[in-house]
Amino acid sequence: MTISRPGLPGDLPSAEVLWARWALVAALEATTADEQAGHHRTGNWVDDEGLHLDDCGCTWWGFAQRGEGRYVLFGEDESSGVKWHEPAVDMLADAPAWLPHEELQDLLKGCQLGCVYWYENGTWARAPYPATLDDDGLDCGMSRFVDRKKVLWTIGDEDHGAMPAHDAETLLGHAEGYRLTPEVLMPLVTEPDWRELDRPAMTRALERAGLNRA
């Protein structure tokens, strides 16, 4: 699955699938030290506000549940031309009332927002874009979770699960089916050479993300 430039709502998988893939990567990266750092952290993580991605450089994203079947995805990649476009693009045009408008407005005022997508009744949507907009950053920011092959590569690499392809497929299938428990996860992950896996933190991340609902 590929993402257009600028992104189209139909480029994204269902919010539930996107959440599961992102949350799995966040669980694999979870450490107690990072939890204690709060918002001053990089990588992927989950907390009471939702899922986060921050590379401390060119891209950051947030993904939050806003009630049953409702999600909001927002963030910025340096490839986005939305906030610099003339005439200005209203990223919240046609946005529903249940979005976190105060938070989004604060980000807009700080020139920190590149795009906003929302999900309800099984469908993604965003504000209308002018034909002259080249990119909103969705591709560079979210293709890592939208492309299932990229997700499998990530969870199987040495920085994450360090596992063979068939185990990565098993793990991702359990995550996408919302039946991922620590008992399924832990036997499949391998300790990387450069760090110790923090299994208690990984377990807490799984619980926060709600990846065992089946």
Side-chain angles (χ1 to χ4, degrees):
M1 190 171 186
T2 58
I3 298 180
S4 309
R5 295 191 179 187
L8 297 170
D11 293 337
L12 292 167
S14 72
E16 292 81 7
V17 167
L18 183 63
W19 181 275
R21 294 174 181 176
W22 192 340
L24 173 55
V25 176
L28 290 171
E29 295 182 7
T31 69
T32 301
D34 282 342
E35 288 175 340
Q36 294 171 348
H39 286 287
H40 303 288
R41 58 195 290 187
T42 59
N44 296 277
W45 71 94
V46 59
D47 59 20
D48 293 339
E49 296 177 2
L51 287 164
H52 307 268
L53 182 163
D54 195 328
D55 71 354
C56 201
C58 64
T59 194
W60 73 267
W61 296 82
F63 189 25
Q65 300 182 36
R66 300 290 294 178
E68 186 67 30
R70 291 174 171 176
Y71 295 77
V72 57
L73 171 67
F74 58 98
E76 180 180 26
D77 186 88
E78 64 179 0
S79 62
S80 175
V82 176
K83 68 183 183 182
W84 312 116
H85 192 274
E86 293 293 341
V89 178
D90 182 358
M91 286 181 253
L92 296 179
D94 302 330
W98 52 262
L99 260 60
H101 282 270
E102 184 175 347
E103 178 182 1
L104 295 172
Q105 288 292 350
D106 285 345
L107 291 167
L108 284 168
K109 291 175 183 176
C111 236
Q112 300 177 68
L113 194 60
C115 65
V116 182
Y117 286 72
W118 52 89
Y119 184 88
E120 186 176 21
N121 298 321
T123 303
W124 284 102
R126 60 155 169 79
Y129 289 162
T132 50
L133 178 68
D134 294 327
D135 197 351
D136 67 351
L138 188 72
D139 183 23
C140 289
M142 287 291 107
S143 62
R144 71 196 75 197
F145 302 126
V146 169
D147 186 330
R148 198 171 189 273
K149 291 181 180 179
K150 290 184 178 180
V151 181
L152 287 168
W153 181 86
T154 297
I155 64 177
D157 72 16
E158 292 183 358
D159 289 340
H160 295 86
M163 63 187 70
H166 60 85
D167 285 345
E169 180 65 52
T170 296
L171 189 57
L172 183 55
H174 276 81
E176 292 175 338
Y178 283 83
R179 54 182 186 275
L180 183 59
T181 63
E183 291 74 22
V184 172
L185 173 63
M186 299 309 171
L188 296 179
V189 295
T190 302
E191 199 92 13
D193 293 335
W194 61 277
R195 72 177 176 99
E196 293 183 6
L197 294 176
D198 190 335
R199 288 174 170 80
M202 293 166 67
T203 298
R204 289 191 294 271
L206 286 180
E207 292 173 351
R208 289 191 183 101
L211 286 184
N212 183 26
R213 306 176 191 169

